[in-house]
Short mmCIF file of all heavy atoms in Angstrom, two decimals:
data_model
loop_
_atom_site.label_atom_id
_atom_site.label_comp_id
_atom_site.label_asym_id
_atom_site.label_seq_id
_atom_site.Cartn_x
_atom_site.Cartn_y
_atom_site.Cartn_z
N ASP A 34 -1.83 8.88 -0.25
CA ASP A 34 -2.01 9.62 0.99
C ASP A 34 -2.93 10.69 0.71
O ASP A 34 -2.80 11.52 -0.21
CB ASP A 34 -0.55 10.29 1.35
CG ASP A 34 -0.58 10.83 2.78
OD1 ASP A 34 -1.68 11.46 3.07
OD2 ASP A 34 0.35 10.71 3.41
N ARG A 39 -3.17 18.67 -0.40
CA ARG A 39 -2.89 19.78 0.46
C ARG A 39 -1.45 20.23 0.26
O ARG A 39 -1.07 21.37 0.15
CB ARG A 39 -3.27 19.38 1.88
CG ARG A 39 -2.83 20.40 2.95
CD ARG A 39 -3.83 21.61 2.90
NE ARG A 39 -3.30 22.63 3.87
CZ ARG A 39 -3.17 23.90 3.57
NH1 ARG A 39 -3.46 24.38 2.29
NH2 ARG A 39 -2.75 24.82 4.43
N ASP A 73 6.00 9.18 5.63
CA ASP A 73 5.36 8.60 6.82
C ASP A 73 6.31 7.53 7.36
O ASP A 73 7.34 7.20 6.87
CB ASP A 73 3.90 8.10 6.53
CG ASP A 73 4.00 6.81 5.69
OD1 ASP A 73 4.96 6.05 5.75
OD2 ASP A 73 2.96 6.52 5.05
N ARG A 96 16.74 12.31 -16.37
CA ARG A 96 17.47 11.85 -17.57
C ARG A 96 16.56 11.22 -18.56
O ARG A 96 16.67 11.56 -19.80
CB ARG A 96 18.53 10.77 -17.12
CG ARG A 96 19.67 11.34 -16.30
CD ARG A 96 20.67 12.02 -17.11
NE ARG A 96 21.74 12.65 -16.29
CZ ARG A 96 22.48 13.61 -16.74
NH1 ARG A 96 22.42 14.10 -17.87
NH2 ARG A 96 23.43 14.10 -15.90
N GLU A 119 21.28 13.45 -1.61
CA GLU A 119 22.47 12.63 -1.78
C GLU A 119 22.26 11.60 -2.86
O GLU A 119 23.01 11.32 -3.74
CB GLU A 119 22.82 12.01 -0.45
CG GLU A 119 23.43 12.93 0.56
CD GLU A 119 23.66 12.30 1.94
OE1 GLU A 119 23.40 11.03 2.03
OE2 GLU A 119 24.01 13.02 2.84
N GLN A 163 31.76 12.44 -1.23
CA GLN A 163 31.86 11.01 -1.62
C GLN A 163 32.19 10.91 -3.13
O GLN A 163 32.85 9.95 -3.45
CB GLN A 163 30.50 10.39 -1.31
CG GLN A 163 30.49 8.84 -1.58
CD GLN A 163 29.22 8.21 -1.03
OE1 GLN A 163 28.44 8.76 -0.30
NE2 GLN A 163 29.17 6.95 -1.38
N VAL A 176 47.00 7.36 -14.51
CA VAL A 176 46.68 8.72 -14.29
C VAL A 176 46.83 9.10 -12.80
O VAL A 176 47.48 10.16 -12.48
CB VAL A 176 45.26 9.00 -14.78
CG1 VAL A 176 44.88 10.45 -14.41
CG2 VAL A 176 45.07 8.78 -16.26
N LEU A 195 41.87 23.04 5.05
CA LEU A 195 42.69 22.08 5.94
C LEU A 195 44.16 22.51 5.86
O LEU A 195 44.61 23.04 4.84
CB LEU A 195 42.45 20.66 5.41
CG LEU A 195 41.09 20.09 5.54
CD1 LEU A 195 41.01 18.81 4.68
CD2 LEU A 195 40.83 19.63 6.99
N LEU A 230 46.48 15.65 6.70
CA LEU A 230 45.50 16.71 6.55
C LEU A 230 44.98 17.04 7.89
O LEU A 230 44.54 16.15 8.63
CB LEU A 230 44.33 16.21 5.70
CG LEU A 230 44.63 15.58 4.31
CD1 LEU A 230 43.49 14.75 3.74
CD2 LEU A 230 45.11 16.64 3.29
N THR A 254 49.55 -4.39 -7.93
CA THR A 254 49.84 -5.52 -8.75
C THR A 254 50.06 -6.79 -7.87
O THR A 254 49.98 -7.91 -8.36
CB THR A 254 51.06 -5.34 -9.56
OG1 THR A 254 52.24 -5.27 -8.65
CG2 THR A 254 51.03 -4.17 -10.46
N MET A 265 42.68 -8.03 -12.41
CA MET A 265 43.75 -7.22 -11.77
C MET A 265 43.43 -5.68 -11.88
O MET A 265 43.71 -4.93 -10.94
CB MET A 265 45.13 -7.53 -12.20
CG MET A 265 46.18 -6.98 -11.21
SD MET A 265 47.73 -6.74 -11.97
CE MET A 265 48.56 -8.35 -11.89
N ASP A 271 42.32 0.27 -5.15
CA ASP A 271 42.89 -0.12 -3.89
C ASP A 271 43.29 1.19 -3.02
O ASP A 271 43.91 0.99 -1.98
CB ASP A 271 44.14 -1.02 -4.13
CG ASP A 271 44.40 -1.98 -2.99
OD1 ASP A 271 43.47 -2.20 -2.17
OD2 ASP A 271 45.58 -2.43 -2.82
N LEU A 366 31.84 -11.56 4.18
CA LEU A 366 30.73 -10.63 4.23
C LEU A 366 30.15 -10.16 2.92
O LEU A 366 29.18 -9.46 2.84
CB LEU A 366 31.09 -9.35 4.96
CG LEU A 366 31.54 -9.55 6.40
CD1 LEU A 366 32.05 -8.24 7.08
CD2 LEU A 366 30.41 -10.14 7.30
N LYS A 386 27.00 2.43 14.45
CA LYS A 386 25.81 3.24 14.47
C LYS A 386 25.75 4.33 13.46
O LYS A 386 24.80 4.60 12.82
CB LYS A 386 25.55 3.73 15.91
CG LYS A 386 24.17 4.33 16.18
CD LYS A 386 23.99 4.58 17.62
CE LYS A 386 22.98 5.73 17.87
NZ LYS A 386 23.63 6.93 18.48
N GLU A 403 43.43 -15.84 19.88
CA GLU A 403 44.14 -17.14 19.57
C GLU A 403 44.77 -17.09 18.19
O GLU A 403 45.69 -17.85 17.94
CB GLU A 403 43.15 -18.26 19.68
CG GLU A 403 42.91 -18.81 21.07
CD GLU A 403 41.76 -19.79 21.08
OE1 GLU A 403 40.68 -19.44 20.75
OE2 GLU A 403 42.04 -21.05 21.42
N ILE A 415 56.80 -10.44 13.69
CA ILE A 415 55.50 -10.55 13.08
C ILE A 415 55.57 -10.96 11.62
O ILE A 415 56.45 -10.46 10.91
CB ILE A 415 54.52 -9.30 13.10
CG1 ILE A 415 54.63 -8.72 14.63
CG2 ILE A 415 53.15 -9.54 12.71
CD1 ILE A 415 54.10 -7.29 14.67
N GLY A 423 40.46 -17.10 7.99
CA GLY A 423 40.35 -15.88 8.86
C GLY A 423 41.26 -14.77 8.32
O GLY A 423 41.80 -14.05 9.15
N SER A 425 40.95 -11.83 6.97
CA SER A 425 40.69 -10.45 7.30
C SER A 425 40.95 -10.26 8.84
O SER A 425 41.23 -9.12 9.24
CB SER A 425 39.33 -10.00 6.93
OG SER A 425 38.30 -10.81 7.51
N GLU A 438 48.72 1.50 22.86
CA GLU A 438 47.81 0.93 23.87
C GLU A 438 46.61 1.76 24.26
O GLU A 438 45.47 1.27 24.39
CB GLU A 438 48.60 0.68 25.13
CG GLU A 438 49.40 -0.66 25.18
CD GLU A 438 48.57 -1.89 25.21
OE1 GLU A 438 47.57 -1.78 26.00
OE2 GLU A 438 48.86 -2.87 24.63
N ALA A 461 26.35 3.55 -9.84
CA ALA A 461 26.55 2.82 -11.08
C ALA A 461 27.79 1.88 -10.88
O ALA A 461 28.48 2.00 -9.87
CB ALA A 461 26.92 3.93 -12.20
#
Side-chain angles (χ1 to χ4, degrees):
D34 190 320
R39 173 75 186 129
D73 76 21
R96 291 281 176 201
E119 288 172 7
Q163 187 171 349
V176 176
L195 294 160
L230 311 163
T254 64
M265 196 206 271
D271 206 21
L366 298 174
K386 189 167 152 249
E403 279 174 296
I415 312 167
S425 57
E438 280 287 324

